């Protein structure tokens, strides 16, 4: 519609209803962000399959519900990460489509079930305590239209578990490796496959794990060349980038 | 051939030349790594277009030359990163195909010019001092069969430079953003595009840049969701992962 | 009056009531701090427009109320930062002029509405979570007699929002840029304007944001030359220095 | 001229030489950076008195000389920080106006002697080893058209030296306080004056001074509210911001 | 039994019931982890005397109880570290053999009282606050079939206490030294004996003890050559390794 | 008495009741710690005026009371640092001599009012929040028989307050300087006097004060040569060492 | 002989040549260290097979040679770690038995070829750059009378290499795992065996490897329970402790 | 003379040559530092026995010589710490009294041999590499008029060496304990004596000793209450404070 308003303006100039000088002034007066927004809108179409994401922590239930209400008509998927149950309850009252994902501590509203991804995103995590982060990555990737496989509890100190899924790992388009403590999982997986591995350090551990810093540093210094890293506990970011990597190229 | 030797064994069992018990023992005795190696070999075929990479720093020229000599018959591309000129000289004596990339401080031997990538890998760096790392990423991506575009000297404090290439950035399949100091470049680029951005912190800076740590932390905490990070100055790793992301899915 | 007592002393010397030797001893005996205090008092006049500031956290309501009671007669503005509601209630009972600023978690008593500032102090923050700190800076600057403009929610990953206010930013006398996570906002703003930018890192973030350390380091390493930095979450300090910069030079 | 070309376009639309649709396309095609550049140009005029700055370290003499040659016709001042003597020699061959500032390890070419500043910038440093950084701040401020006063060797462990210049400090428009080791100087100065104090930590010290980190942290935690901080050893940045603060408001 | 199924397969090949080709396929199809599991099982026998260990913290009582129920038939010892009392209560309802170790904050179920160790494991700790960690090491070592001696409250600032047990220390096969604060205990003990000393830093301390980091670093830099280190507060790990060192070599 | 038992033994040897060989064995058998204890006992006499000190935090009231009961007959002073009110209540029930020091969060039982110190210990602190630590130092020094002077709220940003007590500072035998934030107080005091200054960093501050680390580092890097440092918030340690310095040399 | 002198003393007491009182004084006067030394001497016998170790770095060749000359008559093995070639040359001039170990940068003099160890010490390292440290561990263990096996270049990103030696690893009495970068090797090995694993972080790496800190932290947070850690690059310490663990229990 | 000029002024007032008002103005105009200087001068007398100290590192020989020349007439002792041999040579040419202390890397000029100290300062260091720092402390203490005892090479891993000097340690007025690596020495010594112990961490060590940080942290967390700490390698500071503690109280 934005294009239309500019065309209308140019039409008026053509008709002589307004002078070129006035036309220039009106063009100039168009706030920049509108132009930006227009591009973003156009952009939007390219961004089909991108969910709207709300960080739920420390937000008031009614506030989140209001945001969700305004987003519902867009018919995109909606994801609420770090979503307290009270927040979910408020959203659930709004729409019966809302689901709660206990493990991921996230809520979702699915309005678009298209598959935008080419292959499989395989999410592996080391210990049972890392599952929350792994699940956040999984729900993100699913809401972005991907097929997701998960292997939980496959730490490097029990290498057989990992070797037994080597075939599946090799068939993934991209792998997300989630681990706390020493964060060695991405290195071992990276050596088994030749696809990108997104490493997510978790704050699981104690003492000199320093809230995930040790795992983070370990992953950044991986001896496997196909590993990149996101912030500590950032399951959402990993799921998001994995989805971009997996996105079908038209 | 590995399959054949197992079949031969089973055939002997069938013929009664050896007993099942002996067959079991011989099966058991097959060294594990052989099996693994077989898979790796098979794997190899999938890995077409992967260069052989040698880390040149602190290696003796004759040592690197020997490795190169053994690799030449494979007809894959060969990359020597952090390659001192003396090392290059030794390799050049071995083969006239060797080239030196001054900016990247790398040497290459091109034997495979196939394009394995789908789209363009766009490499952006912030300051002139970051170019070495950006060029290492570029030469890596080129040797892995990708079309590479580069925009150097596009720091966030001069945002227009960055905005003027927005179109090109938007058309890339994956972007590598290289920056030292505060490391803000990937965040700004991440907000302009909807493809994966691989952030490479560099050790450029002084005082509280702490040899790249500040840039690294900044990138890990990017407010853009499409950013992942590799180690400080790891241009090779960024080029490698970008190539995996860009690789054509058959 | 201090001047008077010295004059009186000198007068006694002149009259011969006391000898020069005794005069010397009494001069010597004048406690240093008195002299200092005199200067401070004189100084006071120059400091017109400076509010009295009380750090409210962990202080008892009645204690803060007592301080406020003793300050009220000075007719300067009074600011209570990090002010719990209980503390505010105690102050409100004392004077109806007390106001509470929910967002800034601060209380104020306005007794002086003079404008001491030359131009506009523009306060920008990156995310909704940074608003508390930005508002603390705003209320400080307002109480110090400045015209204040604010733009909240203008992060670098959505660069258009920032570009759309470029004009306003360019017209400010000084800018306060508040950001958590990677802390890139001041660098981008610094590149758009040619006035001083005071950067305030916030403790917003998680994982490797390390309670604001990452933002702090990023800001200290800004590639824009017009950026200086204050402590993490120190909105008050930023508002204070911005007011000093903006103060009209008579 | 940019305005003219848009007017011309609109005029063509008015005349019917081109259709509104084509006009829209051509408007859309106008490269963004042009618009930006225009503003930057306009901006330029506002930036009168800003020197061109070249970071000399690790640059080749002929490279720096080439940059200087291209800048000379602009008739602005030129500053080369961290300038090795070899680089200076190459510049000196280019123009006799070049001067070397031994203490600041900087070279300058003065082409504009206008005073743009309102008041005095007073630069204080704690120890003799901090003088290099203090002098870099001083030469920067002078090249930007400011009156500069300096007091070197005024550490907090000899408080009298500092108190004896209190009057002068009080008359400055802005103060730059340079210190290594514990970095206490800005706090003490901040308590003596009511103007902005820009603190510059230096890498002077040993053991747990950690290359200036201790001084940096000390300055960020100053109990004086009028202190802001720049990066370790960043004398240039301090001089630059001080000049912006001191700049006469027309 | 696994061996039997492979033998059976080979037998079928021998008999001609299946062809070598089909035999190959079925061999190939045997999931790797099974083979691994078999080895692990075989391994199990070697691991006699190894307790099953459950980390009790943040686990639900019924969850831990379920794990314990499934482990009970193995007749190995069971150890629940960091075991809240509620968790213990749930386990106690399951089996009367469960015991709670108040000091170690651990629960145990003893089903195997064999002594697997050669000598004595001597556990020393520096202060009363370190006893929890020391006791966790002790209960671990005891459940793994070792004779354990303990000396608590033997800090280096009261060296006589330590010297008075020199004889006993000298007779141990391995020593566990537990200490917080400066973590000097292992160095002093290491100088008194010629057996391995396992150092356990604890998070006891305040201020610059940084949650055990200072003790950890001190122990890693011990001037005694017979000291190795485990993670902060990792009494279990120390007890585990000490048991491996002390295990009788058959 | 220990001496007596050895003499008795030698006497038996002299008398021939036991042989030299048996005498040797009995000498050898004398447990080392006894000898040590003897020295400690003797030592005790030298330690007149040393209080018994109990760290009250996280200890059970009845436990502390039991310790106090066993110490009371020694007639030395008793100090309970970090003493919760419940612990104090339990001690108060035991003896009416117990006093609570609200500011220092400590309890004391005075049984020895001798003055063991030569001069005055002057304790200075920077801000009102540092008073707890300063008071812990003061009560420690008083219980160890010293005359103590205190000056609270004398921060370096208000240098006049500090200068006004220069005379008193100069007359102290030793000074304890307590400060959080940038920790500059000991440097300024150190420059004003020529006696030892014990610096106590406090955890007062926020953001990059890192729980007292910044103050600690600042104090360790003091440009005044007469400054030594104790751990963060360690008022007790400072009071203890100051007492040792001030102790009258007989 | 020490015993004799005490016996002689007691004999004199018996004979009445000296009084018990004088005997007591002479006993008391016996310097403590003598008694200690006696025990040490006795101890010595137990320490058979312990080499004398000299840290060669920064020591003068003639100084090291002098130490070696004094040690030669003891007939124990002698190890010089971090031994520059010049130092070795000086030692070689002293004795033809001296050998230089290029890889380990160590020199040795073998005078005792007894095997004191029970089993095999297996030393594994991850990359070619870690070999120096691994070799230092190996030469230490060999000089202490152990059978040593080594597997170099077995990083976790090529897990097959590691799996192929699983059998050998399982047969070792103790394993030393040497790795830089992310330091994941000990975790993977720890999961494959049930013997103690001594982890040695190396300073190999760049960027955020922080001189071995990342590897060190990773190893301390190993998810395998049988791992203990020594200081960065401390091959000697690892070899020493492994020898103590492997030492035959008589 | 300063007093005289004030008296003269007062005399003029008395005579009526100047009015009290003018007298007040002239008093006010007296620069503060003069007053301060007067006090400092008076102070000087109290500072008898304080050497003049020059930090020699990175200073030019002729510069140091010039400073020494200006100090010689004061007849105080002169100490040049971190003194390169070239600097010493320049000083030696100036005065034959100059001596070089190889171990301490310091030069001294003794002009005052008075003993200002009460008791003995005992300096202990752990390893041979710490001797430089220990000697710097010793030469400082000697030049300040103290009797100094030294015990080098008394590390905590060989506790007998330390115990054998317990008597001497107990007789010292103050002890300086110098140690690198884990820095445990001051804790052990602190437990043996009841005098102040000044701990000096040294940068001796490697890997996670982090240039002395580990020793520094260890000393700050000493479990002995009589320990205070100075900066890494700050032998001068330790010697200086020890001298202040030992100074005879008149």
């Amino acid at each position: 519609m934005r294009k239309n308003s500019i065309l209308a303006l140019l039409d008026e100039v053509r008709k002589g209803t307004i002078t070129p000088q006035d036309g220039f002034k009106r063009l100039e007066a168009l706030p920049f962000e509108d132009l930006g927004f227009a591009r973003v809108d156009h952009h939007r179409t390219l961004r089909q399959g991108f969910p709207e994401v709300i960080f739920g922590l420390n937000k008031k239930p009614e506030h989140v519900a209001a945001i969700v209400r305004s987003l519902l008509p867009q018919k995109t998927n909606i994801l609420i990460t770090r979503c307290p149950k009270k927040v979910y309850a408020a959203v659930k009252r709004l729409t019966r489509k809302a689901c709660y994902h206990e493990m991921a501590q996230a809520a979702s509203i699915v309005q678009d079930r298209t598959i935008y991804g080419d292959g499989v995103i395989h999410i592996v995590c080391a210990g049972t305590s890392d599952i929350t982060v792994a699940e956040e990555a999984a729900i993100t990737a699913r809401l972005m239209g991907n097929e997701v496989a998960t292997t939980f509890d496959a730490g490097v100190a029990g290498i057989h578990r990992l070797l037994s899924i080597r075939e599946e790992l090799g068939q993934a388009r991209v792998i997300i490796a989630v681990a706390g403590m020493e964060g060695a999982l991405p290195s071992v997986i990276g050596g088994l496959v030749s696809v990108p591995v997104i490493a997510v350090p978790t704050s699981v551990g104690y003492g000199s794990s320093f809230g995930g810093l040790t795992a983070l540093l370990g992953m950044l210094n991986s001896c496997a060349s196909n590993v990149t890293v996101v912030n500590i506990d950032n399951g959402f970011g990993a799921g998001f980038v994995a989805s971009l990597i997996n996105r079908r190229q038209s």
Side-chain angles (χ1 to χ4, degrees), chain A:
Chain A
M1 88 207 91
R2 171 123 189 79
K3 183 180 172 179
N4 290 348
S5 68
I6 296 180
L7 278 175
L9 168 69
L10 292 173
D11 214 40
E12 284 188 83
V13 172
R14 185 186 56 81
K15 291 181 199 152
T17 331
I18 62 169
T19 64
Q21 283 72 12
D22 287 349
F24 178 76
K25 271 182 200 151
R26 277 169 59 186
L27 268 175
E28 203 185 38
L30 283 170
F32 184 85
E33 72 268 49
D34 280 11
L35 188 62
F37 225 71
R39 292 192 185 188
V40 166
D41 270 351
H42 180 62
H43 207 132
R44 271 283 118 184
T45 335
L46 292 176
R47 294 182 64 157
Q48 264 189 341
F50 280 59
E52 295 291 338
V53 184
I54 305 162
F55 188 77
L57 203 67
N58 297 329
K59 288 221 176 71
K60 297 187 183 163
E62 63 271 23
H63 184 54
V64 175
I67 302 177
V68 169
R69 182 181 296 113
S70 76
L71 293 174
L72 277 174
Q74 293 189 20
K75 295 301 172 199
T76 59
N77 293 333
I78 299 171
L79 170 63
I80 309 170
T81 62
R82 316 253 168 131
C83 180
K85 292 213 165 165
K86 278 191 179 174
V87 169
Y88 169 66
V91 173
K92 186 71 180 180
R93 277 191 293 275
L94 207 66
T95 166
R96 286 173 49 200
K97 284 183 288 187
C99 290
Y100 195 67
H101 306 263
E102 188 88 30
M103 297 286 272
Q105 290 174 18
S108 70
I109 299 167
V110 177
Q111 305 193 105
D112 175 6
R113 297 185 182 276
T114 324
I115 288 295
Y116 296 95
D118 245 359
V120 174
I121 297 175
H122 200 127
I123 301 172
V124 188
C125 78
T128 50
S129 322
D130 303 316
I131 293 180
T132 297
V133 176
E135 278 288 1
E136 188 183 277
I139 186 70
T140 302
R142 285 198 189 99
L143 283 195
M144 289 176 77
N146 296 283
E147 191 182 334
V148 174
T150 57
T151 305
F152 294 163
D153 206 0
V156 298
I159 205 76
H160 289 102
R161 178 93 181 87
L162 212 50
L163 292 173
S164 74
I165 57 160
R166 193 167 43 164
E167 205 99 336
E168 292 89 314
L169 292 176
Q171 285 160 2
R173 171 65 179 109
V174 50
I175 293 169
I176 295 173
V178 181
M181 302 181 82
E182 80 272 63
L185 187 64
S187 291
V188 176
I189 291 180
L192 294 175
V193 302
S194 51
V195 295
V197 175
I198 301 173
V200 192
T202 70
S203 51
V204 169
Y206 64 92
S208 60
S209 79
F210 298 127
L213 177 59
T214 292
L216 172 64
L217 290 174
M219 290 168 175
L220 284 165
N221 286 276
S222 174
C223 51
S225 303
N226 48 352
V227 173
T228 60
V229 187
V230 297
N231 197 2
I232 298 163
D233 289 336
N234 189 6
F236 164 69
F240 191 91
V241 175
S243 300
L244 296 186
I245 294 174
N246 189 40
R247 184 140 295 211
R248 189 176 305 120
Q249 305 300 307
S250 55

